PDB file of all heavy atoms in Angstrom:
ATOM      1  N   ILE T  35      86.999 152.287 171.987  1.00  0.00           N
ATOM      2  CA  ILE T  35      87.499 153.527 171.364  1.00  0.00           C
ATOM      3  C   ILE T  35      88.009 154.477 172.442  1.00  0.00           C
ATOM      4  O   ILE T  35      89.085 155.074 172.318  1.00  0.00           O
ATOM      5  CB  ILE T  35      86.382 154.204 170.528  1.00  0.00           C
ATOM      6  CG1 ILE T  35      86.049 153.347 169.302  1.00  0.00           C
ATOM      7  CG2 ILE T  35      86.787 155.622 170.116  1.00  0.00           C
ATOM      8  CD1 ILE T  35      84.823 153.816 168.528  1.00  0.00           C
ATOM      9  N   MET T  36      87.235 154.612 173.534  1.00  0.00           N
ATOM     10  CA  MET T  36      87.639 155.530 174.612  1.00  0.00           C
ATOM     11  C   MET T  36      88.948 155.069 175.257  1.00  0.00           C
ATOM     12  O   MET T  36      89.813 155.889 175.573  1.00  0.00           O
ATOM     13  CB  MET T  36      86.523 155.665 175.654  1.00  0.00           C
ATOM     14  CG  MET T  36      85.293 156.391 175.115  1.00  0.00           C
ATOM     15  SD  MET T  36      84.153 156.968 176.417  1.00  0.00           S
ATOM     16  CE  MET T  36      83.227 155.491 176.731  1.00  0.00           C
ATOM     17  N   ASP T  37      89.098 153.747 175.434  1.00  0.00           N
ATOM     18  CA  ASP T  37      90.343 153.217 176.009  1.00  0.00           C
ATOM     19  C   ASP T  37      91.527 153.534 175.089  1.00  0.00           C
ATOM     20  O   ASP T  37      92.600 153.922 175.556  1.00  0.00           O
ATOM     21  CB  ASP T  37      90.244 151.698 176.209  1.00  0.00           C
ATOM     22  CG  ASP T  37      89.264 151.321 177.315  1.00  0.00           C
ATOM     23  OD1 ASP T  37      88.893 152.209 178.109  1.00  0.00           O
ATOM     24  OD2 ASP T  37      88.860 150.145 177.363  1.00  0.00           O
ATOM     25  N   ASP T  38      91.314 153.340 173.786  1.00  0.00           N
ATOM     26  CA  ASP T  38      92.385 153.634 172.819  1.00  0.00           C
ATOM     27  C   ASP T  38      92.715 155.128 172.815  1.00  0.00           C
ATOM     28  O   ASP T  38      93.884 155.510 172.703  1.00  0.00           O
ATOM     29  CB  ASP T  38      91.970 153.207 171.400  1.00  0.00           C
ATOM     30  CG  ASP T  38      92.043 151.704 171.209  1.00  0.00           C
ATOM     31  OD1 ASP T  38      92.418 151.001 172.163  1.00  0.00           O
ATOM     32  OD2 ASP T  38      91.730 151.242 170.096  1.00  0.00           O
ATOM     33  N   MET T  39      91.681 155.961 172.923  1.00  0.00           N
ATOM     34  CA  MET T  39      91.917 157.412 172.957  1.00  0.00           C
ATOM     35  C   MET T  39      92.791 157.778 174.151  1.00  0.00           C
ATOM     36  O   MET T  39      93.723 158.575 174.047  1.00  0.00           O
ATOM     37  CB  MET T  39      90.585 158.179 173.040  1.00  0.00           C
ATOM     38  CG  MET T  39      89.778 158.182 171.753  1.00  0.00           C
ATOM     39  SD  MET T  39      88.119 158.868 171.996  1.00  0.00           S
ATOM     40  CE  MET T  39      88.501 160.556 172.475  1.00  0.00           C
ATOM     41  N   LEU T  40      92.469 157.165 175.300  1.00  0.00           N
ATOM     42  CA  LEU T  40      93.221 157.479 176.511  1.00  0.00           C
ATOM     43  C   LEU T  40      94.675 157.046 176.374  1.00  0.00           C
ATOM     44  O   LEU T  40      95.598 157.812 176.692  1.00  0.00           O
ATOM     45  CB  LEU T  40      92.568 156.793 177.718  1.00  0.00           C
ATOM     46  CG  LEU T  40      93.079 157.257 179.082  1.00  0.00           C
ATOM     47  CD1 LEU T  40      92.630 158.686 179.370  1.00  0.00           C
ATOM     48  CD2 LEU T  40      92.607 156.332 180.194  1.00  0.00           C
ATOM     49  N   GLU T  41      94.877 155.830 175.871  1.00  0.00           N
ATOM     50  CA  GLU T  41      96.241 155.321 175.722  1.00  0.00           C
ATOM     51  C   GLU T  41      97.026 156.174 174.720  1.00  0.00           C
ATOM     52  O   GLU T  41      98.206 156.478 174.931  1.00  0.00           O
ATOM     53  CB  GLU T  41      96.220 153.870 175.282  1.00  0.00           C
ATOM     54  CG  GLU T  41      97.587 153.228 175.438  1.00  0.00           C
ATOM     55  CD  GLU T  41      97.577 151.732 175.166  1.00  0.00           C
ATOM     56  OE1 GLU T  41      96.498 151.139 175.071  1.00  0.00           O
ATOM     57  OE2 GLU T  41      98.676 151.165 175.036  1.00  0.00           O
ATOM     58  N   THR T  42      96.349 156.579 173.643  1.00  0.00           N
ATOM     59  CA  THR T  42      96.987 157.417 172.624  1.00  0.00           C
ATOM     60  C   THR T  42      97.377 158.768 173.220  1.00  0.00           C
ATOM     61  O   THR T  42      98.475 159.286 172.978  1.00  0.00           O
ATOM     62  CB  THR T  42      96.033 157.613 171.429  1.00  0.00           C
ATOM     63  OG1 THR T  42      95.679 156.330 170.900  1.00  0.00           O
ATOM     64  CG2 THR T  42      96.670 158.465 170.340  1.00  0.00           C
ATOM     65  N   MET T  43      96.462 159.313 174.041  1.00  0.00           N
ATOM     66  CA  MET T  43      96.732 160.619 174.665  1.00  0.00           C
ATOM     67  C   MET T  43      97.904 160.521 175.649  1.00  0.00           C
ATOM     68  O   MET T  43      98.792 161.373 175.641  1.00  0.00           O
ATOM     69  CB  MET T  43      95.475 161.115 175.392  1.00  0.00           C
ATOM     70  CG  MET T  43      95.636 162.472 176.059  1.00  0.00           C
ATOM     71  SD  MET T  43      94.144 162.950 176.952  1.00  0.00           S
ATOM     72  CE  MET T  43      94.390 162.067 178.498  1.00  0.00           C
TER      73      MET T  43
END
Side-chain angles (χ1 to χ4, degrees):
I35 292 171
M36 292 196 277
D37 291 345
D38 284 0
M39 287 171 63
L40 192 70
E41 194 173 348
T42 302
M43 181 183 83

